Amino acid sequence: MKRRIRGTWAAAAAVVGILLVSEGCSASSTDRAGGHAGAEATVLTLANPGGAIEPPQLVAWAKRVDQLSKGTIRIRFRDQWREGDARPELATLDDISKGKADMAWVGARAFDRVGVTDFQALLAPMLVDSYELETKVFEAGIPAKMLGGVRTPGVVGIGVLPGPLSRLVGTREPLVNPGALKGKKIVSQDSALMDESLRALGATPVTAPPSTDLRSYGGIQMQLGAVVGRHHDRDAKYVTGNVDLWPRPLVVVMGKAAHDRLSPRQRTILTKALKQTVTRAVDVARAEDRESAPTLCRLGMKIPSASSADLKAMKSALEPVYARLRKDTRTADWLEQIEYLKNTTGVGPDTASCPGTSTTTSPLEGRWTRTMADGDWRHWPGDETWTEGPPNGTWTLDFENGILTKTDPVGETERWPYQTFRDRIHLAGSFTLDATFRLDGDRLTFDNFDCTEDCGGYAVTFGGSKQPWVKAPVAR
């Protein structure tokens, strides 16, 4: 199986893919990942409109489904669903209702475009502004109650998981107050409430794909991990560190026809697994911010904070939005519950910032290349059943200022922040990867891979060859 993740070939991110025999619900008697050999697996396809990376919250849920079902239910992600669409989530909801995939995740924000307003209190601007508060809101069961309002024709709501916090990304100047936002075109994911909020702050919301080039706009509202993943350090210079606009809850939905084919036990497993993944989902989102902020700083972005006066001005500008929200009885009740939790939690907004600079230089600093042809690749232990190899040609590793950029033979790239200690390297991205490395003059090899997720494909691309990586000469 071949898949590109942020432009990188990887074999192991979809262990369930080996079980698939069709695009929809299907059965298989083989199970290479979960250790339940002989058990028939119902494989459910899940459309991922978030790009080439599966949200780690959903990866954790898929693993929990596998555990609870003892390998008899598997989730297969179908990445880059509706990639490039300005409104991918609305189109995804329509696709699911028509049975083009069994399931999907969509941001809670998108539902107000189809007349579902139950998530509005959860997404109220600058209300849920910390991961501690988001945890409390989910522990109180508020998003699960909101899910009851999802009555889109042909779609069944399965559950909601917490997601990362969105911040203001400025293209040419920091967006720290309504004055800085006034008149600027801000790219926003498709949501009537978010558009209304940006207008209240003085901006002009624009619907565009999240990967769009920002140089024609004043900025975008986006979570830190996506700023890294979408390479917006190339076209934007600022992220406001302490303005947490709203969380990005992930709503899992299923086509009614696919849902009807499941047994009551299978439906229970899907929802139970979601509930049991909430804590892990918050931890993942928090860790993503913690890893992404220093990465953006190393890539040259600045992370300023809004002053107390700036924050007060923004909240004042948003008062008309809250006045409208409170006109709906259910939304007003949920707002009151969340505001109570916020007051009793007593935690201010989560703040991202740039860490102090380090003067330590990694021994790997520089460019390393390796040219591969048929017969050069070898399987990594545990991946013996893998029948396809990465693309042949010249691969490049660039280690620079704490960032590793890996480029494959067709020019697609993937980046991670990295750290080295003695002979160990630690990569931190959508998952973490640790390995040992050996330097022999201008030759570099990797071994002993350890990952938080299944990452055999990365083990192969880094270490799956007898050929070493060769240090490129420094241009003079």
Side-chain angles (χ1 to χ4, degrees):
M1 175 182 172
K2 181 159 56 177
R3 159 177 294 173
R4 293 194 178 276
I5 295 183
R6 282 190 197 159
T8 298
W9 189 96
V15 293
V16 299
I18 287 184
L19 301 175
L20 296 177
V21 295
S22 72
E23 293 299 313
C25 294
S26 60
S28 170
S29 61
T30 61
D31 179 357
R32 133 172 206 264
H36 307 295
E40 282 200 349
T42 296
V43 181
L44 303 173
T45 55
L46 189 147
N48 172 27
I53 287 286
E54 293 113 14
Q57 294 89 345
L58 293 176
V59 173
W61 168 61
K63 288 191 171 184
R64 190 62 186 143
V65 168
D66 172 58
Q67 292 166 355
L68 290 178
S69 70
K70 300 189 186 318
T72 60
I73 305 176
R74 292 307 190 91
I75 309 297
R76 179 202 181 188
F77 289 86
R78 297 183 62 184
D79 297 335
Q80 296 181 299
W81 192 274
R82 293 286 182 174
E83 183 72 4
D85 284 14
R87 294 181 169 180
E89 291 166 316
L90 286 183
T92 298
L93 283 172
D94 185 59
D95 290 340
I96 297 307
S97 71
K98 294 176 179 176
K100 294 182 179 180
D102 298 320
M103 316 172 74
W105 77 267
V106 293
R109 60 182 176 239
F111 282 94
D112 63 11
R113 293 296 196 191
V114 292
V116 177
T117 59
D118 293 64
F119 294 110
Q120 302 268 284
L122 182 61
L123 303 171
M126 299 178 69
L127 178 57
V128 178
D129 57 1
S130 72
Y131 289 113
E132 185 167 344
L133 177 56
E134 188 176 16
T135 301
K136 295 291 185 184
V137 170
F138 271 81
E139 287 176 345
I142 295 173
K145 296 174 184 175
M146 294 174 170
L147 184 67
V150 175
R151 298 184 180 88
T152 306
V155 173
V156 178
I158 301 299
V160 190
L161 284 174
L165 299 171
S166 289
R167 290 179 167 86
L168 285 166
V169 179
T171 305
R172 287 170 289 275
E173 64 179 286
L175 305 178
V176 294
N177 54 43
L181 283 158
K182 187 175 181 180
K184 286 188 173 59
K185 293 181 180 179
I186 303 298
V187 176
S188 177
Q189 278 71 58
D190 196 24
S191 165
L193 174 59
M194 293 179 181
D195 285 358
E196 178 187 8
S197 301
L198 290 171
R199 288 192 189 96
L201 292 170
T204 300
V206 178
T207 300
S211 57
T212 194
D213 191 316
L214 298 180
R215 285 173 290 187
S216 300
Y217 304 101
I220 193 171
Q221 59 92 5
M222 181 171 276
Q223 64 271 22
L224 294 179
V227 179
V228 176
R230 299 286 182 177
H231 304 300
H232 282 310
D233 59 281
R234 299 172 181 172
D235 48 34
K237 298 302 178 187
Y238 300 92
V239 178
T240 307
N242 64 338
V243 175
D244 303 292
L245 290 172
W246 33 66
R248 189 195 67 172
L250 300 95
V251 182
V252 179
V253 297
M254 194 168 193
K256 188 176 186 308
H259 188 260
D260 288 347
R261 289 196 295 269
L262 297 180
S263 69
R265 176 182 174 274
Q266 289 175 317
R267 296 173 193 168
T268 298
I269 286 173
L270 294 179
T271 56
K272 184 177 180 180
L274 278 164
K275 293 176 183 177
Q276 293 180 356
T277 309
V278 165
T279 300
R280 169 65 175 156
V282 175
D283 290 344
V284 164
R286 185 185 285 111
E288 182 180 278
D289 279 10
R290 189 168 56 244
E291 298 286 358
S292 297
T295 300
L296 292 172
C297 297
R298 285 193 289 265
L299 292 168
M301 294 192 76
K302 293 179 172 58
I303 307 183
S305 287
S307 68
S308 297
D310 290 332
L311 293 173
K312 184 176 180 180
M314 295 182 86
K315 290 177 180 178
S316 177
L318 291 167
E319 286 179 1
V321 177
Y322 278 86
R324 183 193 63 78
L325 290 175
R326 288 193 173 93
K327 290 180 181 179
D328 181 90
T329 304
R330 283 190 300 177
T331 299
D333 181 55
W334 282 323
L335 280 173
E336 184 178 349
Q337 293 179 51
I338 296 173
E339 287 167 344
Y340 173 79
L341 291 171
K342 185 170 186 173
N343 292 333
T344 54
T345 300
V347 175
D350 279 2
T351 301
S353 61
C354 287
T357 58
S358 171
T359 58
T360 303
T361 301
S362 165
L364 304 182
E365 198 82 357
R367 170 166 289 187
W368 304 79
T369 64
R370 186 171 71 181
T371 301
M372 305 297 290
D374 288 338
D376 290 332
W377 297 104
R378 65 182 174 87
H379 292 298
W380 201 256
D383 282 303
E384 290 83 359
T385 59
W386 178 36
T387 58
E388 297 181 25
N392 291 329
T394 299
W395 291 69
T396 302
L397 301 179
D398 287 294
F399 294 89
E400 183 178 4
N401 194 26
I403 301 294
L404 165 60
T405 302
K406 179 159 69 71
T407 307
D408 73 11
V410 297
E412 294 185 335
T413 62
E414 184 170 3
R415 296 180 299 174
W416 297 272
Y418 80 94
Q419 295 176 323
T420 57
F421 179 71
R422 296 178 180 170
D423 65 342
R424 297 290 298 175
I425 182 170
H426 173 75
L427 306 178
S430 59
F431 60 86
T432 62
L433 182 152
D434 292 275
T436 57
F437 66 88
R438 180 183 178 187
L439 285 171
D440 183 9
D442 61 353
R443 300 291 190 265
L444 169 66
T445 54
F446 296 94
D447 206 338
N448 301 316
F449 293 90
D450 183 24
C451 310
T452 56
E453 308 290 347
D454 186 6
C455 63
Y458 289 98
V460 172
T461 53
F462 278 101
S465 170
K466 294 180 180 179
Q467 291 192 43
W469 295 87
V470 179
K471 185 75 173 282
V474 178
R476 299 185 183 278

